[in-house]
Amino acid sequence: KELEIAKTIQESLIPKEIPEIEGLDIAASVNPAAEIGGDCYDFIKLDEDKTLMYLGDVTGHGVPAGLLVSVANAIIYAYSHLKEIMQIMVKTNAILQAKSQANMFITLAMLSWNGKTKKMDYVSAGHEKILHYNSKKKAITELESGGIALGMVPDCSKLLKKHPIDLNKGDTIIIYSDGIPEAWGKKKEQYGMGRLRRILMDTAAHADLPAEKIREKIITDLEAFMGSTEQADDITLMVVKKV
């Protein structure tokens, strides 16, 4: 019963609906491997023009991971008034490192979108590489990752770096947790980055396909690959398309 209550509380932390953000079409979902998950995503309006969005993945899953992800969500909200994603990440890291166990940390990809200038920046804290589909070149690139997971060292300010994303109309980026490429299929093989890139290419190449349809097709392909294999890790996906 307590796990059911905890699950309900955790579900309330996930956005009920995707906010309308000028210039972007967004879809996102999380499917925990246990009653309590260790993945999260959210959207925070920083001001009239700026919106912050992030996707995080705590080590492991279950109750310990669920507790840490809830704390991380709260800290990010508390520091969102700073409006600068590097500052938010550094402040969040400092508290997580001081208050969490040595073997508990969270990888995080945080993005900042300016609806006025139509510019996107991101910071990766040891997270999976963001995939960028370029509609003009009809090609996919893996954006620079690096950084260090939050909660590992007291000060990560020199280990993180902010990068721009050159988004053109029709471009699509996906942010995801490692539960997708590392998912196991019925033939005892992992889904892998190659398959993820292929399904993104097949779907994002259709200019009229909305973000939600791209998300659905990726998840459907993943589920077909997994078949009856038990889900071993949380599966979280965010699709962001410039319109």
Side-chain angles (χ1 to χ4, degrees), residues 4 41 57 110 144 151 163 166 169 174 180 184 213:
E4 289 177 6
Y41 70 85
D57 180 4
M110 183 174 287
E144 187 175 343
H163 305 273
D166 185 19
K169 186 176 181 180
I174 63 169
I180 293 181
W184 289 94
K213 286 296 181 184

Side-chain angles (χ1 to χ4, degrees), residues 163-230:
H163 305 273
I165 303 179
D166 185 19
L167 279 182
N168 299 300
K169 186 176 181 180
D171 284 13
T172 300
I173 59 173
I174 63 169
I175 308 98
Y176 51 94
S177 63
D178 60 8
I180 293 181
E182 295 178 6
W184 289 94
K186 45 198 170 186
K187 293 183 180 179
K188 295 185 178 179
E189 62 180 350
Q190 290 185 311
Y191 189 73
M193 289 302 298
R195 186 156 183 151
L196 181 57
R197 289 170 65 104
R198 283 195 299 274
I199 189 66
L200 174 60
M201 175 69 79
D202 291 344
T203 53
H206 297 277
D208 59 342
L209 209 60
E212 174 57 24
K213 286 296 181 184
I214 295 174
R215 186 202 67 80
E216 285 180 5
K217 288 182 179 294
I218 293 174
I219 296 299
T220 298
D221 186 70
L222 176 65
E223 291 174 344
F225 172 83
M226 292 173 63
S228 59
T229 305
E230 184 179 357

Side-chain angles (χ1 to χ4, degrees), residues 3-228:
L3 280 174
E4 289 177 6
I5 294 171
K7 181 181 180 181
T8 301
I9 293 172
Q10 189 175 54
E11 287 175 346
S12 70
L13 298 176
I14 300 296
K16 296 291 187 296
E17 55 186 36
I18 306 298
E20 290 189 10
I21 300 174
E22 184 180 358
L24 300 178
D25 177 25
I26 302 175
S29 63
V30 56
N31 182 17
E35 284 189 283
I36 309 298
D39 284 4
C40 64
Y41 70 85
D42 209 349
F43 308 90
I44 304 175
K45 191 79 172 174
L46 299 178
D47 56 36
E48 187 177 339
D49 299 315
K50 277 189 175 183
T51 301
L52 176 152
M53 59 195 83
Y54 64 89
L55 190 152
D57 180 4
V58 172
T59 48
H61 53 271
V63 175
L67 287 171
L68 187 60
V69 84
S70 297
V71 171
N73 272 320
I75 297 171
I76 291 170
Y77 256 96
Y79 282 119
S80 63
H81 70 279
L82 297 174
K83 297 184 181 181
E84 173 51 52
I85 55 177
M86 273 292 289
Q87 292 183 47
I88 296 171
M89 294 282 260
V90 170
K91 294 285 188 181
T92 300
N93 170 79
I95 294 181
L96 285 178
Q97 201 279 331
K99 293 295 184 180
S100 61
Q101 295 180 352
N103 63 340
M104 294 292 291
F105 48 86
I106 179 172
T107 67
L108 194 77
M110 183 174 287
L111 302 89
S112 176
W113 168 253
N114 190 317
K116 187 175 183 179
T117 62
K118 305 297 190 243
K119 299 295 183 182
M120 177 84 82
D121 295 312
Y122 78 96
V123 175
S124 175
H127 199 72
E128 303 294 308
K129 290 185 177 180
I130 296 172
L131 294 185
H132 175 198
Y133 171 77
N134 186 307
S135 58
K136 289 184 178 179
K137 297 180 180 178
K138 300 193 184 308
I140 292 176
T141 56
E142 295 182 359
L143 301 186
E144 187 175 343
S145 182
I148 187 171
L150 304 185
M152 294 189 75
V153 296
D155 181 10
C156 65
S157 58
K158 295 180 180 179
L159 301 172
L160 303 182
K161 185 178 179 181
K162 184 169 74 172
H163 305 273
I165 303 179
D166 185 19
L167 279 182
N168 299 300
K169 186 176 181 180
D171 284 13
T172 300
I173 59 173
I174 63 169
I175 308 98
Y176 51 94
S177 63
D178 60 8
I180 293 181
E182 295 178 6
W184 289 94
K186 45 198 170 186
K187 293 183 180 179
K188 295 185 178 179
E189 62 180 350
Q190 290 185 311
Y191 189 73
M193 289 302 298
R195 186 156 183 151
L196 181 57
R197 289 170 65 104
R198 283 195 299 274
I199 189 66
L200 174 60
M201 175 69 79
D202 291 344
T203 53
H206 297 277
D208 59 342
L209 209 60
E212 174 57 24
K213 286 296 181 184
I214 295 174
R215 186 202 67 80
E216 285 180 5
K217 288 182 179 294
I218 293 174
I219 296 299
T220 298
D221 186 70
L222 176 65
E223 291 174 344
F225 172 83
M226 292 173 63
S228 59

